[in-house]
Amino acid sequence: MIARRAVLALALCAVFAPSAFAQTYPNKPIHLIVPYPAGGGTDFFARLVGTKMAELIGQPVIIENKPGAATNLGADFVAKAQGDGYTILLGDVATFAANQSLYKKIPFDFETDFAPISLTARFVTVLLVNPNKLKANSVADVIAAAKAEPGKIDIAHAGVGNPFHLASVLFQQAAGIKLNEIPYRGAAPAIQDLVAGAVPLMFVDYATARSHIAAGTLKALGVAAATERAELPGVPPVAATAGLTGFEAWPWQGFVAPAKTPAEIIAKLNDTYVAAVNDPVVRQKLIDAGLELLQSTPQEFADHRRREAAKWADVVQKANLALD
C-alpha cells in the first residue's frame, strides 16, 4: 500500500509539476541574449521592449550582448541553457534561416534545440551612400558605377552571414554586379567607417541609420522593401530600379527559448511580448525607428523560418558562400 501511494504521488507530481512551475514563473531575472554588439538595431529593440516586458512580468529582463559567428555564438549559448524560461534569445534571419546553409557545421539545430515564442519585428533596410565618397544619386547610379569598375567599389556589412551582408549579396545577384565586400564586427563600427568615408556603401537598418540620414552625412538611395516606406518619403524601393523587380531583404527577428521550455511559460512570454509592443509609447518609438512589428504563434514562427531558410539557401548557394 505504501509503495502504491508513493507511485501515485510521483505520477501526480509528473502531471502537475509543469503547471505549478509555470504559475510561479518568473521568480528571478530573465536573461535576454542579443547575439550582436550593443548599439545596433537588434540591441535597440531588445532594450526598449525588454524594459517594458520587465515591467509587465514583474522581474528584471537583463540584456546580455553575445556577438560572434554571425549570431551562432549567442544562439548556441541559449540552445545549451536550461529550458526554464530564464534564458531567451532574440535571434534573426541569420540565426534561424541563413546560417544553416552558410556554415558547414553549426552547434545547434533550430528544429530540435529551440522553442519558438513569437516573431517580433522586421527592420526597414536602406542602401546608404556616403556622398563624399561615391557620387551616386540613385540605385541605378550605383549599378552603373559597379559595372564600370567590377569588384572595385567597396560595400560594408556587419559580418558574413549578417542580414545586411545577405541583402548586399542578393542585391549583387539581382543587379548582375560585383562589389568588394568589407566585413565589420557589427553594424555600429561599419556605419562609423561609412560616415568617416572609409567605405562608400552599406545596407543597414533605418533604426541605425536614421540620425545620419537626418544630419545629411549619409544619403538613402533605396529601401529593401517592395514599396516606399513612410519613414523615408521620397526614397524609392530598390525594386523600382530596372531589372530589380521583386527585390526584398528584411532582417526579421524573433524570440525563442531553449527546447523543452514548458508550453505554459512559452505562452506567458508570448503574451508579455504582445502586451509590451502594444503599449502605445513603446509601439510608436519602434515604428519611428523604422520597425514593422510582428506577432505570431510559435507555429507561425516555425513555418516562417522554414520558408525563409529555403529563400536564403538559394542565395547562399548561388554566391558560393561557406564558413567553417
Side-chain angles (χ1 to χ4, degrees), residues 130-141:
N130 182 319
N132 296 318
K133 185 71 175 178
L134 180 67
K135 302 301 180 185
N137 294 312
S138 67
V139 174
D141 287 347

Side-chain angles (χ1 to χ4, degrees), residues 22-245:
Q23 287 171 6
T24 62
Y25 172 86
N27 56 23
K28 62 181 182 180
I30 297 167
H31 292 259
L32 172 53
I33 307 304
V34 175
Y36 286 109
T42 304
D43 186 69
F44 167 79
F45 180 92
R47 292 181 188 280
L48 182 59
V49 174
T51 297
K52 190 62 183 181
M53 288 179 69
E55 177 186 319
L56 294 170
I57 210 165
Q59 287 290 340
V61 174
I62 300 170
I63 309 300
E64 293 186 26
N65 297 91
K66 291 186 179 294
T71 76
N72 284 345
L73 192 151
D76 186 46
F77 179 85
V78 175
K80 291 178 169 58
Q82 188 173 351
D84 56 8
Y86 291 104
T87 304
I88 61 176
L89 172 72
L90 179 60
D92 65 8
V93 60
T95 320
F96 303 133
N99 284 358
Q100 67 183 50
S101 299
L102 182 64
Y103 281 81
K104 294 176 183 176
K105 291 182 180 180
I106 52 176
F108 57 84
D109 183 281
F110 184 86
E111 298 288 344
T112 59
D113 292 335
F114 296 110
I117 298 170
S118 177
L119 290 167
T120 56
R122 59 183 192 172
F123 288 71
V124 175
T125 298
V126 293
L127 175 59
L128 297 175
V129 65
N130 182 319
N132 296 318
K133 185 71 175 178
L134 180 67
K135 302 301 180 185
N137 294 312
S138 67
V139 174
D141 287 347
V142 172
I143 294 172
K147 286 184 175 179
E149 295 185 286
K152 296 291 182 65
I153 298 174
D154 294 338
I155 185 165
H157 63 75
V160 176
N162 176 277
F164 308 126
H165 175 228
L166 296 176
S168 172
V169 171
L170 182 61
F171 173 63
Q172 293 173 72
Q173 290 177 355
I177 59 174
K178 176 64 177 174
L179 299 170
N180 184 38
E181 297 170 359
I182 309 295
Y184 287 81
R185 295 192 174 206
I191 205 164
Q192 286 173 7
D193 266 12
L194 184 66
V195 171
V199 287
L201 290 169
M202 182 180 181
F203 276 98
V204 75
D205 60 285
Y206 176 63
T208 300
R210 58 178 175 163
S211 62
H212 303 290
I213 296 171
T217 52
L218 299 175
K219 180 179 176 64
L221 298 179
V223 292
T227 59
E228 186 175 311
R229 301 292 303 184
E231 305 90 340
L232 288 160
V235 178
V238 173
T241 305
L244 297 182
T245 302

Side-chain angles (χ1 to χ4, degrees), residues 251-284:
W252 58 266
Q253 299 179 336
F255 282 133
V256 299
K260 299 182 181 178
T261 300
E264 297 95 332
I265 289 178
I266 295 294
K268 188 163 189 175
L269 287 167
N270 186 299
D271 290 345
T272 304
Y273 160 70
V274 169
V277 293
N278 281 304
D279 175 85
V281 174
V282 172
R283 190 172 190 84
Q284 194 57 53

